[in-house]
Amino acid sequence: MIKGYSLFVICMLLLGTGISITMPYLSLYFTEGIGMSAGAFGVFMAVSSLSGVVVNSLIAKRSDRGMDRKLIILFAIISSAWICLVFSVS
């Protein structure tokens, strides 16, 4: 078994739970609260997903060049927790 893998799995489980709670409310907030059209929200989500792929590719290139992967994972987990906190507050 990989050392520290169980902690990583727990973090991913919590992240998935946070996303599943906030995502339905995000679409409601954008369409009803801000008044964005459904099409514009779809474009926003598509751009968000595509930018995630691009950023992940850039991070993977850096990681393959010898950057410490533990720091990358720690930064990603902290960033995800921060975003879920911001969504829950706003």
Side-chain angles (χ1 to χ4, degrees):
M1 183 167 199
I2 301 170
K3 183 180 175 184
Y5 187 69
S6 58
L7 181 61
F8 180 71
V9 169
I10 290 170
C11 287
M12 290 296 104
L13 177 69
L14 292 174
L15 176 64
T17 303
I19 289 172
S20 68
I21 291 171
T22 58
M23 198 53 70
Y25 295 108
L26 182 67
S27 62
L28 284 174
Y29 173 71
F30 273 104
T31 56
E32 292 181 8
I34 296 178
M36 182 183 283
S37 69
F41 181 71
V43 170
F44 170 77
M45 292 303 292
V47 169
S48 296
S49 297
L50 291 174
S51 64
V53 170
V54 170
V55 169
N56 286 333
S57 297
L58 294 173
I59 291 172
K61 284 182 184 178
R62 290 229 169 180
S63 174
D64 290 343
R65 290 184 188 153
M67 191 174 182
D68 188 16
R69 290 185 177 124
K70 286 183 181 181
L71 290 176
I72 294 172
I73 292 171
L74 184 62
F75 180 74
I77 291 171
I78 290 171
S79 298
S80 297
W82 176 253
I83 287 297
C84 287
L85 180 69
V86 168
F87 281 155
S88 67
V89 171
S90 64

